[in-house]
Amino acid sequence: MSKKIKPYQGPAGGWGALSSTTRFVFGSQQPAANIRNLLRANQVKGFDCPGCAWGDQPGKHFSFCENGAKAISWEATKKQVTPAFFAQHSLSDLQSKSDYFLEYQGRIEQPMVLNRETDHYQPISWSEAFALIARHLHALEHPNQLELYTSGRASNEAAYLYQLFGRSFGTNNFPDCSNLCHEASGVALTDAIGVGKGTVTLQDFDHADAIFVFGQNPGTNHPRMLHTLRNAARNGAAIVSVNNLKERGLERFADPQSPIDMLTASDSRISSHYFCPRLGGDMAVVRGMVKQLLAWDSAALADGKAGIFDRDFIAEHTQGFSAYMAQVDATPWEQIIEQSGLTRAQITQAATVYAGAKRVIITWAMGITQHQHSVATIREMTNLQLLCGQLGKTGAGLCPVRGHSNVQGNRTVGINEQPSTDFLDNMEHHFNHPMPRQHGHNAVDAIQAMLDGESKVFIALGGNIAAAAPDTQATARALANCELTVQISTKLNRSHIMAGNTALILPCLGRTEQDMQQAGAQFITVEDSFSMVHASEGVAKPNSPHLRSETAIVAGIAQATLGDKPISWHALTQNYDLIREHMAATLPDFESINERLTQPGGFYLGNSAARYQWQTPNGKANFGASPLPSQLIPEAITAKAQGVLSTLQTLRSHDQYNTTIYGMDDRYRGVYGQRMVLFMNPIEIKRRGLKEGDWVELSSVWLDNIERKVGGFKVVAYDIPPGDVAAYYPETNPLVPLHSVGEGSNTPTSKSIAVLITKHIAARII
């Protein structure tokens, strides 16, 4: 494997994406099958891509991207992890392997149980596995000793049964991958507009005059968004990118599915403006825009002209305007400029674009949500939209871009540690079974409860919490402290080897595979970032005859544990229409779901805020009047540091989706054959007495006096603000303190880690 740093000069997409797609399709060892799979991805009577949650464009015959092709080929591999593999590799041996090695071995072929005496996993039958889980659950002192984790990949049907099982057992402990990424979006939007989802549809992007893109790298994380942004730019929309790293996907894009782009070597400019604030400085950027708009608005009114703000909308639909304006007026420009890292001229330029647009979309991702003040930042973006009435009209609104393809759907169908009273009342009435009312654990709470010995059984419906969660060593100890860990998975990952005293691996069908039940072939449903619910039906033959669907596995656990209470779980798995009938009876906007799913492309759940129905306690959309943070790294941290601090953000490489590492390249950032790199500004490299290619060690600074350190990172010069650095996760997750979380969201602050950088005397041998 060639290791090199070579700046990438081409556009995002283009021949590079086509070449990469081809390599991964053929690397699956069944290229013909995977080509057929790609043609059915995101299509009617096809399956939803197991990658990102970007919406499907109706009528597109080719609706997949490079990283979607990687995800599909990675899942639909011919390789298998059989009992012979586990006989060859002990648990101790597997713990020394890389994450890439583990997942590269292929699909798990049959259920496995850990034998602690031999230190090996060995086969177990499905009935024995379910009985083992039931025995452990019945032995618990109380239901809240159970943690039920979910990944955003799980279908609506599996997630609905999962939450029904957990609540019928007696717990609201539903730690979820969204707790680790987009929780701040749900909290902020619910407080502001009464619904924790975006207000726009995919079609709104075709009608926007300006689109502000905050904290995103769509070229890697949701490449199909680039098609949408390119089309919007061609329609005349101004694309304003606000991201602290220069990302190729937000600069230039060539559509690999466009013959014109490919044959003429042409590409499209994406961003009309690109601003690089300090890590965590986005709130100050928006506050500065509002402050400038306020000055222009006041001047216009003083001259007897129409103001910039939509005062009719503000008067009719909002509350808190005066308090917010007072907060804006009290925020000095000096603080805005220092904290944002932008000049006043740059902020004025962004405000000019906003003021000149009749229809504005603001969209954001995890570059915004993983800071201590993320909730306040998203409230600030919402404030800006409320000031100008940029909600509830075509081409305008708020758009959080979720990660996994059904992370939003999981929350909709009940994966929530703090369910609403209305939801619990509906469930209790429909199933004639009491539902627990005490709030449960989110992901950070669950890890702490396992560390403390309060929670004893951990079941994961997908995901890889050992790699995804913060404070890697603490998370590993938490899992090892459990009496039983259960992983429902397609491929081997880190969570299988950071196991409890007893551990099960239960292999499930992938999104691409046929799901045959007693009533015939079944489909499941997912919800995208635009509240569209649509069917997904696998087309490929299952990798192994021993695999079961996630829905059937959840039902098997529930049947073994609860019997036929409050329903016959096995009966539901025979025909998923029956599950959806229960969803229709208990979930708002899911009425007649089975009939509505016959529509090509599915159906829109709607958004109350987009209809000006504010489901807030006061029945209004609410301005948030938070001050800017006193400083981006808390004073207690800077006082504790013994050296010059930098702010680290964790991020994905281009050959990666969440914790799944497809390869060792990060093409758009010019990194090949390696992952242990630290991106730094050239000025910062020189100021620290370093040079490109030096090897460094990172240690984070936190208040608990626990040493968190990772080493062997090669310094790479990159266009990033001085004082900020970036590196890949999960390699840097050990640096994220478990209790360094966002205010109001409890989300780990993986984009704002205070670190010290120390030069290594000798290069790390990789």
Side-chain angles (χ1 to χ4, degrees), residues 144-159:
N144 286 327
Q145 290 183 325
L146 168 64
E147 302 288 351
L148 295 166
Y149 181 77
T150 45
S151 158
R153 191 202 65 199
S155 69
N156 287 330
E157 289 74 12

Side-chain angles (χ1 to χ4, degrees), residues 116-188:
R116 281 289 176 185
E117 292 184 1
T118 64
D119 195 37
H120 284 262
Y121 276 101
Q122 62 190 38
I124 186 174
S125 71
W126 280 105
S127 59
E128 290 172 328
F130 293 148
L132 176 63
I133 296 170
R135 287 197 300 273
H136 276 271
L137 295 183
H138 290 151
L140 295 178
E141 297 169 10
H142 55 80
N144 286 327
Q145 290 183 325
L146 168 64
E147 302 288 351
L148 295 166
Y149 181 77
T150 45
S151 158
R153 191 202 65 199
S155 69
N156 287 330
E157 289 74 12
Y160 184 81
L161 284 193
Y162 199 54
Q163 64 83 27
L164 176 60
F165 160 64
R167 293 190 166 105
S168 299
F169 185 72
T171 187
N172 280 316
N173 285 351
F174 290 102
D176 178 44
C177 64
S178 64
N179 300 147
L180 304 176
C181 55
H182 256 289
E183 193 69 36
S185 298
V187 171

Side-chain angles (χ1 to χ4, degrees), residues 247-399:
E247 301 288 13
R248 182 48 48 93
L250 289 170
E251 295 178 309
R252 293 160 52 206
F253 172 64
D255 188 350
Q257 295 177 9
S258 166
I260 294 176
D261 283 8
M262 298 301 285
L263 294 176
T264 63
S266 64
D267 59 71
S268 298
R269 182 183 179 188
I270 296 295
S271 299
S272 55
H273 302 78
Y274 204 128
F275 302 111
C276 294
R278 296 174 61 192
L279 271 173
D282 306 88
M283 183 180 179
V285 173
V286 181
R287 177 64 55 88
M289 291 173 61
V290 173
K291 193 172 182 72
Q292 184 61 64
L293 292 172
L294 174 59
W296 290 336
D297 181 79
S298 299
L301 294 177
D303 289 342
K305 300 176 182 178
I308 291 175
F309 297 157
D310 188 339
R311 282 180 163 74
D312 290 339
F313 176 88
I314 291 169
E316 182 179 356
H317 293 291
T318 74
Q319 188 165 307
F321 171 73
S322 297
Y324 175 58
M325 287 293 96
Q327 186 64 251
V328 172
D329 192 55
T331 308
W333 271 110
E334 293 78 10
Q335 184 185 16
I336 291 171
I337 292 167
E338 188 279 331
Q339 195 165 110
S340 69
L342 302 184
T343 65
R344 183 166 178 177
Q346 288 175 309
I347 294 172
T348 300
Q349 191 177 22
T352 300
V353 175
Y354 190 95
K358 293 182 179 180
R359 295 163 293 186
V360 181
I361 292 173
I362 292 181
T363 176
W364 67 92
M366 287 165 59
I368 296 298
T369 62
Q370 293 183 318
H371 296 273
Q372 188 175 24
H373 58 289
S374 291
V375 170
T377 300
I378 298 166
R379 291 295 301 271
E380 193 74 13
M381 295 175 180
T382 307
N383 290 342
L384 176 56
Q385 294 291 73
L386 293 176
L387 285 171
C388 297
Q390 294 287 357
L391 289 178
K393 61 183 182 182
T394 300
L398 296 159
C399 179

